[in-house]
Every structure is written in C-alpha cells, then in structure tokens.
Amino acid sequence: MKLFYDLHLHSCLSPCGDEDMTPANLTAMCALAGLNVVALTDHNTTGNCAAFCKAAERNGLLALPGMELCTREEVHVICLFPSLLSAERFGAYVSRRLSPIPNNPDLFGRQIYMDDMDGILGEESRLLAGCADISVDHVCALVSSFGGLAYPAHIDRPSFSLIATLGFWNPDLGFPLAELSRHCPPGFLHRPDLHGLRFITGSDAHYLDQVADAAHWMEPPDRTPAAVLHWLSKPVQTS
Ligand SMILES: [Zn+2]
Ligand SMILES: [Zn+2]
C-alpha cells in the first residue's frame, strides 16, 4: 500500500505556526497536496491533536497524533503515537517538564487551541517553544513506554538538530531513523556516521503554503497508525 506522507506539521498552537494553520485548514491543504498520511507535531504539546485527527478523517487522511519535543539539550525530536490517548498522556508528561516561561504573543505569536471546525478553544499562556526537562539520552525508551516512536527532526539543519548539538550520530541513542529537511544540503548524507541509516523527509510546515506536494511515500502493511509506526521502525526490505 503506497501512501504519501508528511509527518512533520505545525498548527496554530505552535508559537511560530501561522494562525491560518487551523486543524481544519491544515488537513484540507494536506488533502489538496495529495498526501495520504499526516502527523501533527506541534512544539512540546499535543493540544491540537484531537482536532487535527478529526479534521483529517473528514478530509480522507490517515492521521497520527504527535509532537516535536525539544529536549534538555535543545534537540528537536519527532514523537508519533498510535492513538490520541497515548499521545495526550505523553503530552501531559511533557507539560510537567516544560519551563514556566510565559509566552509573549507579540514576540513569538499566539498559541491557539482549536476544534476541528475552526472554533477557538483557548490560548496557551506558557511558551511552548522552550526545552522540556527530558534528555535526548532517554527519549527513545520514554516515548516507547507511551506506545510511540521517536526520531530526531531535521538532522541536516544547523540549529535544534541532533547533529548540530551533539556533533555526530550516536547509534546508542536508539533512534531507528532520522528526519531530513526538504532542503538537505547536497553531500550531507555522505557523512560516514550516517552510513546505513534510514531517512524520511518532513516539510516542517508552519504556514499553509509550506505544505509540500506529495513526493515522499511509504508502504505500510495496513492503513493504520500502528502500521505506519511499524513501517517507520523496521528496515525496508529490498530484494
Ligand atoms: Zn524543529
Ligand atoms: Zn517543526
């Protein structure tokens, strides 16, 4: 089953996410772009995942609830979950480990909770863009204990990436794959420490016009979140 994916998307709950990135708008744009599997990965929160999943279903998309966690070391990690319940439990865990810095909407943008029909449910007052007090050393096991899967985001970028922060790919961290940005520099993948590693590409869209046309696909055994996570966690068999 060939499914086009984008598993790195931000809604208007992310401080840097445009206010037009409502769950309804975002999923409609993903459907227009020809995507089949999508994940919401707001910074350090799963607060708009329920609305996103509902709106995605209405638009014929398979949705995974997720989060882009910022670890203590300032490494961005994509965390994906097989169910809303598991994602929201992880969201509550992260929320308790987030610094209590208030958001400054004029500086960072508003952080808006939405329903699936463009209704505003409220605003988050704490800044969601900071670090959670969770080490990158423990993220894999931690997310797995909530039933999810974790892998580092945009490792080719010079900031908030595992390679930029730690300096090299450390297989002992247990990540089964890594995400590349859409603008991965030529030659980056020739790094010897990345040899044999699996990659996926995410758009990291914060604005509607950054939702990319369908280009990257996966072949999970079924059209379910669990099957997508299974595909991401297992090496692709090549014959
Ligand atoms: Zn990021
Ligand atoms: Zn992101």
Side-chain angles (χ1 to χ4, degrees):
M1 183 179 300
K2 189 171 174 177
L3 299 176
F4 287 93
Y5 67 81
D6 191 345
L7 303 177
H8 190 159
L9 298 161
H10 291 268
S11 79
C12 51
L13 183 52
S14 287
C16 41
D18 191 60
E19 290 187 19
D20 284 342
M21 289 291 260
T22 67
N25 282 347
L26 175 56
T27 53
M29 185 58 94
C30 288
L32 273 177
L35 296 167
N36 308 116
V37 186
V38 292
L40 184 65
T41 54
D42 281 317
H43 293 292
N44 298 314
T45 180
T46 55
N48 271 352
C49 284
F52 178 81
C53 290
K54 211 169 167 184
E57 189 178 355
R58 203 168 56 234
N59 282 290
L61 303 167
L62 176 63
L64 277 78
M67 173 193 293
E68 183 172 17
L69 174 73
C70 184
T71 71
R72 190 187 296 158
E73 302 86 356
E74 298 199 327
V75 174
H76 282 187
V77 177
I78 300 295
C79 308
L80 303 177
F81 297 88
S83 70
L84 194 55
L85 184 64
S86 54
E88 289 181 341
R89 281 182 177 154
F90 183 69
Y93 179 93
V94 171
S95 178
R96 294 193 294 273
R97 285 154 184 83
L98 204 57
S99 54
I101 303 167
N103 184 33
N104 180 342
D106 295 332
L107 207 57
F108 301 112
R110 294 167 72 200
Q111 305 176 140
I112 308 170
Y113 291 105
M114 306 283 300
D115 68 15
D116 64 302
M117 301 289 281
D118 278 350
I120 292 179
L121 301 177
E123 274 191 52
E124 175 59 49
S125 58
R126 262 191 318 173
L127 180 63
L128 292 168
C131 300
D133 189 18
I134 296 170
S135 170
V136 71
D137 295 341
H138 307 129
V139 168
C140 262
L142 176 68
V143 173
S144 178
S145 75
F146 284 84
L149 179 81
Y151 51 90
H154 45 64
I155 64 163
D156 51 297
R157 285 209 197 138
S159 57
F160 298 111
S161 82
L162 185 142
I163 297 291
T165 303
L166 304 186
F168 66 103
W169 179 266
N170 180 358
D172 294 341
L173 295 176
F175 294 116
L177 74 166
E179 186 203 67
L180 301 174
S181 76
R182 278 195 292 156
H183 307 292
C184 181
F188 179 79
L189 296 181
H190 296 146
R191 291 174 57 107
D193 55 337
L194 302 182
H195 183 70
L197 188 61
R198 292 181 69 218
F199 301 101
I200 63 166
T201 300
S203 75
D204 197 9
H206 287 73
Y207 291 80
L208 286 172
D209 63 5
Q210 292 174 346
V211 175
D213 283 340
H216 305 284
W217 51 274
M218 59 171 63
E219 282 191 300
D222 294 301
R223 195 182 177 283
T224 63
V228 169
L229 295 182
H230 178 78
W231 184 89
L232 290 170
S233 64
K234 302 290 180 193
V236 175
Q237 298 296 315
T238 53
S239 54

